[in-house]
Amino acid sequence: MASNKKYWKSVEELKDSSIVETLSKNEFVEEIPTDQFLGDKETLENSSTSRRDFLKYVGFTTAAASLAACEGPVVKSIPYVVQPNDVIPGVADWYATSIADGYDFANVLVKTREGRPIQIMPNKEANGTTSARVQAAVLSLYDEKLRLKNPSKSGEEISWADADKEIGVKLNELKEVNKPVVLLTGTLASPSTQKIIEGFTAVYPNIKHVVYDAVSESGAADAFMAMYGKRALPNYHLDKAKTIVSFGADFLGDFHGGFEKQYIAGRNPKTGQMSYHVQFESNMSLTGANADKRVVVKPSDQVFALLNLYNAITGNNISSKATPVDAEVKKMAVELKKSGSKAVVLTGLNDKNAQLVALAINAALNSEIVDVNNTLNVRQGNDTEVAQLVSDMKSGKIAGVISYNVDPIYTLSNAEDFAAGLDKVSLKVALSTENSATVNAMDYALPTPHFLESWGDTQFDESTYGLMQPTIQPLFNTRQVQDVLLKWSGNSTKYYDYLKAFATTTILNGSSWNKALHNGFFKREIVASNVKAEVSVANAAAALSSSAKKASGFELNLYTKTGLGDGKQANNPWLQEFPDPITRASWDNYLTISMADAKELGFSNPVKDNGAIDGDYAKVSVNGKEVVVPVMIQPGQAKGSLGLSLGYGKTFGLKEEMQVGVNAYPLYANGNNIQYGVAIEKVSGNHKFACTQVQKTIAGRHDILKVASLKEYKTVEPKDHHHGWNKPAYVSYDHQEVEANTIDLWDEHNRDMGHHFNLSIDLTSCTGCGACVVACHAENNVPVVGKNEVRIGRDMHWLRIDRYYSSEVETREEAKELGLSRGETYRKLETEAENPEVTFQPMMCQHCNHAPCETVCPVAATTHGRQGQNQMTYNRCVGTRYCANNCPYRVRRFNWFKYADNSEFDFNMNNEYGKMVLNPDVVVRSRGVMEKCSMCIQMTQATILKAKKEGRLVNTDEFETACSSACTTGAMVFGDVNNKKDKVAALAEDKRAYNVLDYLQTKPNVIYQVKIKNTNEA
């Protein structure tokens, strides 16, 4: 139960640290520079300044600050000369479209204002989801630094007509002599584009299409091909699962594109049926953090554990090896057999043999969770063909390379071989949306539009056909790759006409094109094939065992971060500043290492007195490649293993501020995410991390989180004073313990009239993915402040997702009663830190009905609205920060600088293209004011006005905020509690509902639902 757990954010809190104690008492990690206006602060107490002089000074500075806060730049607007028929100024338009950039695939809705896309949301009717990266993709549209603007040849601009003519001549020359040319693309997942490529290669039979994904899942696709005769990825219906066992598959992250929506759908405590999820892994992943049980095991032992499970399920006796987790493996074999067809096993090892073993286990279980008919068409890269391409280029066999939106010179582990081979190629053409090292190495650089400027179609799985439509006129002189290939094929058809004809005749089956385009998708019938090829799983298992037995030294697990992914959007400041859900660090990648290994090798993460974290550097060597990378000690990391994320260290064409981190792709040999035989050595240097995990400590405030088991949820009364898992806060009043909500300093206001907004956050459903964080940035014009400012605690996120580790130990007071020494208490905590439980908690302004910030503001800049929102009047705020000092939730942000139009903060608010993403309904705040979550007041008011204009009441569940709209799992529900039909009204009364720090009686309008974990006891 929550009250018996010790919650902590950083390993530093496990030590008896004076720094943490200091930080817990300091509301502001940066001291106010009083010496700049009152002289030497060391001698200030001896100053003879009179009270009258001091008040004169305060009066002047307050007035000056008020004027500064009121001032704003004069921007002259230019009205329409002829207003477009389909644009109404001040009213948003929404378009259904799709994103398929080779790594992220989603059916989405795009919000535009006056012809400018400003926000992306999931198309929930198409079962669409968004991640932090998909949310941020709208900002990449306006990347004036990196986007290609005009066709060029050898660095000089060239017309499209001349490029077509010259390349056409060269293609025909190579065709005549039958010299091989390769069309190198990422995964397209586009049926019409595939048809165009088939037509292109029919005209030029010497051209071969090779699919290359920077982050490979080729092993899984090859295994599925071997077993089912089709090169695809299996789909997983995790919503139907009773038991889920994963060996390093981060399926709430990027594994097969992620399955968080399905996973959470199968974990509803109200139904009493929650899947039991066990994660075997070395790195602390998003999936492991959400698991019911996490088993720490290094990668080579994951292989043997998977083989041992295969033997236990099938009765075979494949050669394997004993592991430290075999007892857990035996337990899981029993659980899986008990669940039968409702059980599933996944593995994240990018190895064909490992994937075949997992498929064989699922086949032995007759698993209904694995869908081999409605397969996934994402991540279709072929490692074997890519390796052959590089080999052929080096030997001079390839005469031409046409690349489309791939950057192998950055992402290939043997990039130097690719670059050397490219020098021997006579025709080098890059079709690309953005500049890159690979584009720069080509003779021709031809700009293609962003997906928000494009027509297209998608088919991420067999049942859903998606359509892509432009949401803005092309910003630059671009041409779609489909139009390019059609033209080079001698086909004069425009791609839009080709797409419409293809969809109408091949896909829509008589349905309306306009309707499909309006909806953004069309559901298709699936023809079940269920073909199973003859494949020797025994041979695959034996090969897997033989390979793992050769493991030596440290073992490196290469992974992708939730924020940056494969690095395609490395120049996107929203994603660079997005804190990693696990480490809470931004603007960096790092080598994660266990506490035990760090101690043995002498690595540390000292914490400064302002909450900033530093780190040592390590030289990591594997397969003749080495990188120097900062070290982050990570609770839950398997001893003998290391973790390092891909997607960082990109430099070509990026702004200087974005050139952060270390490129780990050189270590990514053969597309294997696990590398054995790794050497690590401490080297000199001190790295400065931008990490928020220590800056906002709990500071002695308890019951921030409440967690219960499924068994407790079913059998224990939640409000029971002694044993309840959701007991209310009690305080002492008149020498008696009474419920805190019976005692109050404020008079209640009548809130029954009109709307009263609440936001419910279900901690069971929240996976910590952070899509809501980026959605909040986009909707509310939240500024990016940069690495240095984040480091000293000046991050501006209106919404943060706190990550808490927890340990099943008593509080220090109870430890004393039990006679435990301080050393014994900390030793127990550190043992727990080897594999702690993890809980995520979104935290924003709680919009307290009895708000402590409102009572201390000297100028009434923060006030309470009739609809329950705590409001900020920015031009009244003089920046005293009293409100932040009095906020127990630490959710208010101070503008230390003017972030827009300031060369010191060269992010999206400082160039004409980047400003196009700004939401005109929300003001851009200036220096010297407090800002924080507004509960998207502009959205609630727009909903009310729309209903008023249409002469009706607001519909049930019509109210939304940016975060609730973006939430894939439905963890965030926003609405009007005065409308008893709104979902949030029932959630506010649910037995799991509680307020954070309820004993303070601030009476927030943000409600949390107690997290329920399935401990497999119910």
Side-chain angles (χ1 to χ4, degrees), residues 557-735:
N557 188 352
L558 294 159
Y559 66 99
T560 54
K561 276 195 182 186
T562 307
L564 215 54
D566 66 348
K568 283 184 188 295
Q569 296 191 70
N571 205 42
N572 191 313
W574 287 351
L575 294 178
Q576 289 285 8
E577 192 145 300
F578 172 75
D580 180 74
I582 303 298
T583 64
R584 307 295 298 138
S586 56
W587 295 97
D588 251 321
N589 65 339
Y590 30 77
L591 192 74
T592 56
I593 189 170
S594 71
M595 294 175 69
D597 288 332
K599 188 174 182 180
E600 188 176 316
L601 296 170
F603 292 108
S604 63
N605 287 133
V607 179
K608 302 300 180 182
D609 57 4
N610 62 357
I613 295 179
D614 289 355
D616 300 313
Y617 281 100
K619 182 167 73 174
V620 180
S621 308
V622 58
N623 299 322
K625 302 284 183 71
E626 60 183 40
V627 299
V628 175
V629 61
V631 172
M632 179 79 78
I633 300 170
Q634 176 61 54
Q637 182 79 28
K639 192 176 188 305
S641 73
L642 307 166
L644 182 58
S645 66
L646 302 164
Y648 285 81
K650 197 173 184 178
T651 57
F652 188 90
L654 270 64
K655 290 182 178 181
E656 186 178 349
E657 293 85 351
M658 306 295 174
Q659 296 179 23
V660 295
V662 175
N663 185 4
Y665 279 112
L667 308 182
Y668 193 44
N670 303 315
N672 287 333
N673 55 335
I674 303 300
Q675 299 290 328
Y676 300 127
V678 180
I680 178 173
E681 175 189 348
K682 185 178 180 181
V683 294
S684 61
N686 183 58
H687 186 80
K688 299 181 184 301
F689 286 110
C691 186
T692 60
Q693 69 177 358
V694 184
Q695 292 168 355
K696 299 172 180 68
T697 64
I698 295 175
R701 292 171 282 229
H702 302 292
D703 275 345
I704 289 176
L705 289 172
K706 293 187 179 183
V707 182
S709 70
L710 183 59
K711 182 179 180 180
E712 288 171 330
Y713 176 78
K714 288 180 174 181
T715 61
V716 178
E717 173 59 39
K719 304 297 183 184
D720 184 281
H721 182 24
H722 297 289
H723 306 290
W725 46 267
N726 191 17
K727 55 190 177 186
Y730 284 82
V731 295
S732 178
Y733 179 71
D734 197 19
H735 306 290

Side-chain angles (χ1 to χ4, degrees), residues 363-380:
L365 293 167
N366 292 316
S367 176
E368 298 173 5
I369 311 307
V370 184
D371 191 338
V372 299
N373 293 313
N374 188 24
T375 52
L376 300 173
N377 301 315
V378 301
R379 313 285 168 81
Q380 291 297 294

Side-chain angles (χ1 to χ4, degrees), residues 215-288:
V215 178
S216 172
E217 294 200 41
S218 185
D222 291 342
F224 196 83
M225 177 71 184
M227 186 166 279
Y228 295 102
K230 176 184 178 184
R231 199 166 194 283
L233 297 177
N235 212 336
Y236 294 96
H237 299 294
L238 299 182
D239 53 320
K240 301 175 182 176
K242 285 186 178 178
T243 304
I244 303 169
V245 178
S246 168
F247 291 86
D250 189 12
F251 57 79
L252 299 184
D254 292 334
F255 176 78
H256 290 13
F259 297 92
E260 64 274 20
K261 188 171 185 179
Q262 299 91 320
Y263 175 75
I264 293 301
R267 296 178 63 80
N268 185 353
K270 279 190 177 179
T271 64
Q273 300 297 319
M274 288 182 70
S275 60
Y276 180 53
H277 169 206
V278 177
Q279 184 84 1
F280 293 82
E281 64 179 12
S282 57
N283 290 359
M284 173 73 83
S285 70
L286 200 61
T287 306

Side-chain angles (χ1 to χ4, degrees), residues 786-800:
K787 183 174 182 177
N788 292 333
E789 294 297 295
V790 172
R791 176 173 165 79
I792 58 176
R794 293 176 176 175
D795 61 290
M796 292 298 292
H797 300 292
W798 282 14
L799 162 61
R800 68 177 192 263

Side-chain angles (χ1 to χ4, degrees), residues 625-920:
K625 302 284 183 71
E626 60 183 40
V627 299
V628 175
V629 61
V631 172
M632 179 79 78
I633 300 170
Q634 176 61 54
Q637 182 79 28
K639 192 176 188 305
S641 73
L642 307 166
L644 182 58
S645 66
L646 302 164
Y648 285 81
K650 197 173 184 178
T651 57
F652 188 90
L654 270 64
K655 290 182 178 181
E656 186 178 349
E657 293 85 351
M658 306 295 174
Q659 296 179 23
V660 295
V662 175
N663 185 4
Y665 279 112
L667 308 182
Y668 193 44
N670 303 315
N672 287 333
N673 55 335
I674 303 300
Q675 299 290 328
Y676 300 127
V678 180
I680 178 173
E681 175 189 348
K682 185 178 180 181
V683 294
S684 61
N686 183 58
H687 186 80
K688 299 181 184 301
F689 286 110
C691 186
T692 60
Q693 69 177 358
V694 184
Q695 292 168 355
K696 299 172 180 68
T697 64
I698 295 175
R701 292 171 282 229
H702 302 292
D703 275 345
I704 289 176
L705 289 172
K706 293 187 179 183
V707 182
S709 70
L710 183 59
K711 182 179 180 180
E712 288 171 330
Y713 176 78
K714 288 180 174 181
T715 61
V716 178
E717 173 59 39
K719 304 297 183 184
D720 184 281
H721 182 24
H722 297 289
H723 306 290
W725 46 267
N726 191 17
K727 55 190 177 186
Y730 284 82
V731 295
S732 178
Y733 179 71
D734 197 19
H735 306 290
Q736 292 184 352
E737 266 201 328
V738 296
E739 284 193 28
N741 59 16
T742 62
I743 311 297
D744 216 322
L745 294 176
W746 285 269
D747 292 330
E748 289 291 345
H749 295 283
N750 185 353
R751 302 189 184 97
D752 296 332
M753 297 289 290
H755 305 290
H756 189 79
F757 298 119
N758 272 195
L759 175 65
S760 173
I761 302 175
D762 189 346
L763 299 181
T764 306
S765 301
C766 177
T767 64
C769 73
C772 55
V773 175
V774 181
C776 178
H777 266 263
E779 174 66 26
N780 294 296
N781 301 336
V782 177
V784 174
V785 300
K787 183 174 182 177
N788 292 333
E789 294 297 295
V790 172
R791 176 173 165 79
I792 58 176
R794 293 176 176 175
D795 61 290
M796 292 298 292
H797 300 292
W798 282 14
L799 162 61
R800 68 177 192 263
I801 300 184
D802 289 333
R803 181 269 299 125
Y804 291 102
Y805 299 126
S806 61
S807 311
E808 287 287 356
V809 297
E810 294 79 6
T811 61
R812 289 174 189 163
E813 292 75 15
E814 291 171 323
K816 287 178 182 177
E817 291 178 10
L818 293 171
L820 295 176
S821 68
R822 178 175 289 181
E824 289 171 327
T825 303
Y826 283 119
R827 273 195 295 275
K828 193 168 183 182
L829 284 169
E830 288 192 15
T831 301
E832 292 283 350
E834 293 175 8
N835 187 21
E837 289 185 10
V838 182
T839 308
F840 298 104
Q841 183 181 53
M843 180 57 63
M844 69 292 287
C845 173
Q846 301 291 289
H847 295 273
C848 309
N849 288 310
H850 295 167
C853 56
E854 296 169 12
T855 58
V856 295
C857 181
V859 291
T862 180
T863 53
H864 210 66
R866 285 291 303 269
Q867 296 170 347
Q869 290 140 320
N870 176 258
Q871 300 172 349
M872 279 296 305
T873 308
Y874 296 121
N875 62 353
R876 189 183 292 162
C877 177
V878 296
T880 63
R881 302 195 296 172
Y882 294 163
C883 55
N885 188 56
N886 217 36
C887 174
Y889 306 101
R890 299 193 175 189
V891 289
R892 303 178 77 89
R893 301 286 177 262
F894 181 67
N895 278 279
W896 290 91
F897 300 96
K898 180 184 177 186
Y899 299 110
D901 297 314
N902 186 340
S903 60
E904 293 295 319
F905 301 92
D906 188 18
F907 306 115
N908 62 294
M909 289 187 181
N910 291 278
N911 65 78
E912 294 305 311
Y913 283 101
K915 287 178 181 177
M916 290 174 74
V917 83
L918 296 178
N919 184 355

